[in-house]
Amino acid sequence: MNNAAERIVVVGGGKMGLPLACTFASRGAFVVVCDKNQSIVDSINSGIDPHEEPEQDRYVRDGVDAGRLRASEDTAAEVANADAVVVLVSAVLTPAGDIDWGNLASASAAVAKGLRKGMLVSYETTLPIGGCRGTLVPILERGGLKAGTDFSVVFSPERVKSRLVFAKLSETPKIVGGLDNASAIAGADFYERWLGAPVVNIGSLEAAELVKLA
């Protein structure tokens, strides 16, 4: 599989997704932020930070001006032209305290429509242990490709806080776990190249999910 991704789609242009996209672009990748919120898409494409994250206005402006950062509402179309996809959309709780899979399922279904062989898909949203393998991977496979054979899947939880993202993103160790060993290695290589933070490959999806919850 191709681990040297240069075309990256970040699904979710929120307070965690956009800084990640900006960092990838600043390191030389061509990045598309996909979001259903038209105002976020328009703001990014105008070179304006929609979240007022410290330092982010410069990153957005520079990325757009350099032609390395843009935004779109059409996730499936953008994924079809990407080498790697990072999904960072919100997951809320139901009144019963269970995870509401709605946003993640919708995002995964859109990604599935554009998946091609050799791609890497990384989830960064907090999940219950086993959620990635048991719930999200089957959605990705609806397009006919097989995870672990045709494309790689990793879980790598975001571990920085809003208002401090750019101060901490490149120094906070990045935890990576994969669907299989090859996926974990591909994910570690991806984050080492495009994030620049220390990367800790802990093997499985479930181990990485546990780290975030713990």
Side-chain angles (χ1 to χ4, degrees):
M1 294 183 182
N2 176 20
N3 298 333
E6 294 186 356
R7 297 169 298 176
I8 304 170
V9 166
V10 175
V11 183
K15 293 184 178 181
M16 293 294 114
L18 183 53
L20 197 66
C22 286
T23 301
F24 294 155
S26 74
R27 293 178 64 85
F30 293 95
V31 188
V32 181
V33 178
C34 291
D35 201 286
K36 293 181 178 180
N37 188 323
Q38 184 66 56
S39 65
I40 288 179
V41 170
D42 291 343
S43 181
I44 294 170
N45 287 332
S46 297
I48 300 170
D49 172 27
H51 304 306
E52 298 184 351
E53 175 70 33
E55 299 185 59
Q56 191 160 265
D57 56 345
R58 172 176 58 84
Y59 277 95
V60 172
R61 182 177 62 253
D62 290 352
V64 171
D65 287 348
R68 293 189 175 275
L69 180 69
R70 63 182 179 86
S72 170
E73 289 185 276
D74 195 339
T75 299
E78 300 299 344
V79 169
N81 293 308
D83 300 301
V85 182
V86 178
V87 181
L88 222 174
V89 299
S90 60
V92 297
L93 296 179
T94 67
D98 298 320
I99 186 173
D100 181 342
W101 291 98
N103 289 338
L104 281 163
S106 177
S108 298
V111 170
K113 292 178 181 178
L115 269 181
R116 294 176 293 103
K117 289 186 177 181
M119 293 178 65
L120 170 73
V121 180
S122 177
Y123 287 96
E124 295 208 9
T125 304
T126 303
L127 297 174
I129 298 172
C132 193
R133 191 184 303 269
T135 300
L136 300 179
V137 168
I139 297 175
L140 293 176
E141 292 180 327
R142 288 177 184 173
L145 298 181
K146 181 69 175 177
T149 301
D150 297 316
F151 63 94
S152 300
V153 180
V154 301
F155 181 74
S156 181
E158 53 87 8
R159 301 172 64 230
V160 294
K161 293 182 179 181
S162 180
R163 309 296 299 174
L164 294 171
V165 177
F166 290 100
K168 299 293 184 180
L169 197 57
S170 64
E171 63 183 45
T172 302
K174 198 78 173 94
I175 303 299
V176 177
L179 179 76
D180 52 19
N181 185 57
S183 291
I185 292 173
D189 289 347
F190 171 80
Y191 282 108
E192 284 175 356
R193 179 171 185 179
W194 297 115
L195 186 59
V199 175
V200 182
N201 179 354
I202 60 173
S204 72
L205 295 169
E206 291 77 13
E209 290 166 343
L210 176 60
V211 166
K212 174 61 175 180
L213 293 175

